[in-house]
Amino acid sequence: EKRTITLVEKNGYCDSVYINAAKIFQGIRTKKPKDRTLVLYGDDSVFPMPTSKDEYPQRVSYELAFNALKYQDLLEEILLDSSVYPCQSIPDELTSLLVVMLYDLQDRKFQAREIFDEEEPVAEVQKIEHYLYSFRTKLAAALARCRIKHDALSIECILPETIRKQEQRASALPLCVWINTFKISLQDVFSNLEKKGFTRVESVSEFDHYTYCMDQHCHDVLLFPSSLKEELLNLDLFADYKLILQ
């Protein structure tokens, strides 16, 4: 079960993640003046905040919510341009869920979500998913029109310049990884990484793809190139929580 981390990320999420992300997005979304408000959001009482002891669902819920926030204007434009919104059968209280799930659907290239059996399905998530997927052709066409209008090769190019610069700075930062010394020793980590083809260097200035270094101040923290995030999450060390991405 632990080894499905990356798989889940590529094929959609469990229903509770969407609900949690919608709740977070509802609280952080950009509120526009009434004369510019075309997409209506209800109050935030419809979704109780799920409680989870698992760090992974919490992390991806926040990632999903903040991605929806980042592209809120684009996602609302797609909903309106495709005539998918407004819809009488979807109350305003579910608009946050609609926006969050639309972001995820386009991120999956409008492919169907893989269904997981670990938990009970959530009726609201099932309803929004079926609704969006039934209009996936119109939504994809609306997204294409938005990209043409903005002369953008990808949705990232539609972001304001200030946000794009923040994204570039963030993507250049090294990944910080904590060694869970309750489960594994430093030497065993080094040995395991060496077997996987990683080379230990002295500092981030020496990074060259499959390399890593020790943090100068924390003896149980490793630094990796940011480009390796997906590959690192596939390692058994991460699946077994012996290494934890910060």
Side-chain angles (χ1 to χ4, degrees):
E1 180 181 351
K2 292 179 181 177
R3 303 182 191 282
T4 61
I5 290 178
T6 306
L7 205 61
V8 174
E9 219 164 3
K10 290 182 178 178
N11 295 291
Y13 305 98
C14 297
D15 287 11
S16 61
V17 168
Y18 293 111
I19 290 291
N20 203 358
K23 178 72 175 181
I24 296 165
F25 175 75
Q26 178 74 12
I28 63 176
R29 65 182 173 83
T30 301
K31 297 181 180 180
K32 302 174 182 178
K34 288 186 177 181
D35 59 340
R36 291 179 49 220
T37 300
L38 298 176
V39 176
L40 302 177
Y41 296 85
D43 61 52
D44 58 4
S45 61
V46 67
F47 302 130
M49 184 67 84
T51 56
S52 173
K53 296 180 180 179
D54 194 338
E55 179 267 344
Y56 173 72
Q58 292 181 357
R59 177 169 61 84
V60 294
S61 294
Y62 275 97
E63 285 181 0
L64 189 54
F66 275 92
N67 278 326
L69 173 65
K70 189 166 59 176
Y71 293 103
Q72 180 179 338
D73 288 344
L74 173 64
L75 296 170
E76 290 179 354
E77 185 177 349
I78 292 171
L79 287 171
L80 293 167
D81 183 51
S82 63
S83 299
V84 170
Y85 180 92
C87 174
Q88 290 185 346
S89 64
I90 297 179
D92 293 345
E93 287 73 18
L94 293 183
T95 301
S96 286
L97 183 61
L98 184 71
V99 171
V100 163
M101 295 193 72
L102 173 58
Y103 172 81
D104 182 58
L105 181 61
Q106 68 78 34
D107 195 41
R108 288 185 278 117
K109 311 299 182 187
F110 297 95
Q111 299 300 308
R113 174 173 64 126
E114 182 176 330
I115 302 301
F116 301 94
D117 300 324
E118 299 93 66
E119 61 176 12
E120 288 293 321
V122 178
E124 292 85 355
V125 172
Q126 302 290 314
K127 177 180 180 179
I128 296 297
E129 179 175 39
H130 293 153
Y131 179 71
L132 287 174
Y133 195 69
S134 67
F135 288 103
R136 61 190 181 281
T137 303
K138 286 188 175 182
L139 291 166
L143 174 58
R145 286 192 292 270
C146 287
R147 287 174 52 189
I148 293 171
K149 183 174 75 173
H150 293 279
D151 192 24
L153 293 175
S154 65
I155 64 170
E156 290 82 4
C157 299
I158 301 176
L159 291 172
E161 185 178 359
T162 53
I163 297 180
R164 288 205 303 271
K165 287 182 177 179
Q166 290 175 358
E167 293 280 296
Q168 291 169 358
R169 285 197 296 268
S171 64
L173 293 174
L175 300 173
C176 293
V177 173
W178 172 62
I179 300 173
N180 185 357
T181 53
F182 290 104
K183 289 195 169 189
I184 193 170
S185 68
L186 273 65
Q187 291 304 318
D188 285 342
V189 169
F190 300 153
S191 176
N192 193 297
L193 288 173
E194 184 178 356
K195 291 176 182 178
K196 297 294 184 180
F198 287 84
T199 301
R200 182 178 165 187
V201 296
E202 292 300 318
S203 68
V204 294
S205 62
E206 299 179 51
F207 276 175
D208 183 19
H209 199 52
Y210 287 103
T211 51
Y212 71 97
C213 68
M214 298 287 294
D215 185 89
Q216 294 181 358
H217 305 288
C218 302
H219 73 279
D220 56 355
V221 173
L222 303 179
L223 303 176
F224 290 84
S226 58
S227 59
L228 295 179
K229 181 177 180 180
E230 201 68 27
E231 294 178 69
L232 289 174
L233 290 175
N234 274 318
L235 296 178
D236 291 346
L237 289 169
F238 285 84
D240 296 333
Y241 299 101
K242 294 176 180 177
L243 292 182
I244 299 174
L245 185 65
Q246 298 299 292

